[in-house]
Amino acid sequence: MRIAYVVGTRPNFVKTAPVIGAMRARLPEGRHAVVHTGQHYDRLMSEVFLEELGVPAPDYMLEVGSGSHAEQTARVIERLEPVLAQENPDLVIVPGDVNSTLAAALTAAKMQIPVAHVEAGLRSFDRTMPEELNRIVTDQLAEQLFIHSPEASDNLHAEGVPAERIHLVGNTMIDTLVALEGRFRAAQAAQKLGVAPGDYLLVTLHRPALVDGPLLAETIARLATLAREMPVVFPVHPRTRAMLAAIDSEHPGLLLTEPLGYLDFLSLLADAGAVLTDSGGIQEETTYLGIPCLTLRANTERPITITAGTNTLLGLDPAAIAQIPQALSQRPAKRPVPPPLWDGHAAERIAEVVAR
Ligand code: UD1
């Protein structure tokens, strides 16, 4: 059996690393070709992750880089087609909801190559998010849909996806977390940054809705005010870094860092008093670790992190940042039971389904 895995961005690597490992173990005679689209290309956004996660060096680098949605998507399609023609895989596996995911699914489906989508069925019901369009189209094209929570199945049924294509396998991002927990717990990233474990707010912000417009300046001002009460640690995504430079904002008291590797970031996450984010994956990682997560978005495609986890939707409203100290003081200290099948073995279940 010949498999091609197409990845492009930081969270893709985290979701796919355990799948490649489990598939290699299940199908050792098979061909396992890793294609990196190059959507993320900075060393801190890409190589560091691949190294820490133990992903073998990609067999193909498409080097599509940054650009408009159309440019980025088109470049992946154009450059992936000859790779798939040469590899002739029996299956193309794509994770998540980024432009590389959509482009790879479309390229493979048009070449009559079956597609498997890892993390299928998530819906924010907000079509202004580029990721929502990527999810909807990818799920329509995929033949095997691997889901990590029951509502994903409802979403897919509502869009006419037949039940036999849907497999509830659990969360491969949590597989990576479980596999590397010993190493990130030992990383002591908080101490290295000079903040006390349990004490600080960890911030990540990168969605266009928040960082590409006027909300960014207000968010930074609110965080600077909050930093007088509790340390605020903010590893800055390149998109956000560029927008911060453009608005020339002051950020007194905020501990801004470069993007962190997986081990240092998870170390900071596990030791945080709380997390403020607009990321999808971090809503899941905090749910698993039992860390309070405050999501600065109007909606989430991951409602299970609210019903079964530690996530609270603040809305897309920087003013909500002022409520954080009070919200944290009132929170019961609970370490919730993670959702079913978020147990470190999702990728093995995927390999089992594919091998069948
Ligand atoms: C992409 C995904 C988003 C995901 C995020 C994870 C889409 C539509 N968006 O957003 O869903 O949550 O990845 O991080 O696919 N840049 C660099 N170096 C890099 C990568 C990006 O400097 O290695 C800068 C460039 O200025 C680029 C900008 O960041 O234009 C945005 O990168 P892009 O890949 O387009 O989207 P993300 O914001 O990273």
Side-chain angles (χ1 to χ4, degrees):
M1 190 160 184
R2 302 175 66 80
I3 319 271
Y5 309 83
V6 184
V7 292
T9 65
R10 194 164 61 165
N12 282 176
F13 311 139
V14 181
K15 291 164 194 170
T16 309
V19 179
I20 299 172
M23 292 287 292
R24 280 182 188 278
R26 190 72 179 68
L27 300 166
E29 307 293 319
R31 161 82 177 157
H32 301 270
V34 178
V35 184
H36 186 333
T37 67
Q39 178 171 346
H40 284 174
Y41 46 85
D42 286 348
R43 188 174 150 69
L44 292 174
M45 300 292 286
S46 178
E47 279 127 291
V48 167
F49 273 71
L50 298 175
E51 287 162 14
E52 288 184 346
L53 303 176
V55 177
D59 300 273
Y60 300 90
M61 297 288 283
L62 305 185
E63 295 181 354
V64 302
S66 302
S68 71
H69 288 276
E71 287 166 344
Q72 201 170 49
T73 309
R75 274 187 228 135
V76 175
I77 293 173
E78 208 168 38
R79 296 180 194 184
L80 181 61
E81 187 180 50
V83 168
L84 294 183
Q86 183 183 325
E87 278 292 323
N88 192 23
D90 301 299
L91 183 68
V92 171
I93 299 186
V94 297
D97 57 13
V98 300
N99 287 343
S100 298
T101 311
L102 163 71
L106 187 56
T107 309
K110 290 236 174 164
M111 297 174 79
Q112 320 277 314
I113 303 167
V115 174
H117 185 203
V118 175
E119 197 194 80
L122 300 186
R123 294 292 179 270
S124 65
F125 303 100
D126 174 1
R127 290 197 180 198
T128 65
M129 284 181 84
E131 294 82 2
E132 183 74 354
L133 303 177
N134 295 343
R135 293 179 197 119
I136 292 168
V137 177
T138 303
D139 285 341
Q140 282 298 323
L141 296 173
E143 250 170 59
Q144 302 292 326
L145 296 104
F146 295 111
I147 66 171
H148 69 40
S149 50
E151 71 267 10
S153 173
D154 301 337
N155 296 337
L156 293 170
H157 287 313
E159 292 172 17
V161 177
E164 61 270 18
R165 293 192 181 177
I166 304 169
H167 309 279
L168 178 59
V169 291
N171 191 326
T172 65
M173 193 170 232
I174 301 302
D175 288 6
T176 296
L177 187 159
V178 170
L180 295 182
E181 186 158 10
R183 284 176 64 199
F184 74 69
R185 295 263 180 209
Q188 305 215 322
Q191 289 88 332
K192 283 190 244 166
L193 285 173
V195 290
D199 200 32
Y200 57 89
L201 181 73
L202 176 64
V203 178
T204 83
L205 305 169
H206 76 286
R207 298 256 172 222
L210 190 64
V211 307
D212 286 5
L215 294 179
L216 181 61
E218 193 191 339
T219 303
I220 296 297
R222 296 274 181 187
L223 287 174
T225 306
L226 183 70
R228 292 188 211 129
E229 287 182 58
M230 66 192 294
V232 175
V233 180
F234 185 179
V236 187
H237 184 285
R239 172 191 281 277
T240 313
R241 173 79 66 186
M243 299 314 293
L244 279 177
I247 61 175
D248 204 14
S249 79
E250 299 269 319
H251 22 75
L254 302 188
L255 195 51
L256 302 193
T257 77
E258 292 294 304
L260 299 174
Y262 181 81
L263 296 173
D264 275 342
F265 185 75
L266 264 285
S267 168
L268 271 185
L269 189 72
D271 280 341
V275 181
L276 177 74
T277 192
D278 60 358
S279 152
I282 291 170
Q283 297 170 48
E284 298 179 352
E285 290 163 336
T286 46
T287 282
Y288 182 83
L289 291 167
I291 304 294
C293 179
L294 304 152
T295 298
L296 203 52
R297 287 177 44 187
N299 50 53
T300 178
E301 61 290 325
R302 293 162 160 90
I304 198 165
T305 61
I306 298 175
T307 53
T310 52
N311 191 17
T312 305
L313 264 191
L314 292 184
L316 186 58
D317 178 11
I321 290 170
Q323 306 157 12
I324 289 177
Q326 204 203 352
L328 290 180
S329 67
Q330 288 171 353
R331 254 190 120 90
K334 58 163 185 172
R335 165 128 199 205
V337 181
L341 306 183
W342 293 26
D343 60 358
H345 300 288
E348 291 157 34
R349 294 185 198 103
I350 290 174
E352 202 50 51
V353 172
V354 171
R356 252 193 270 138

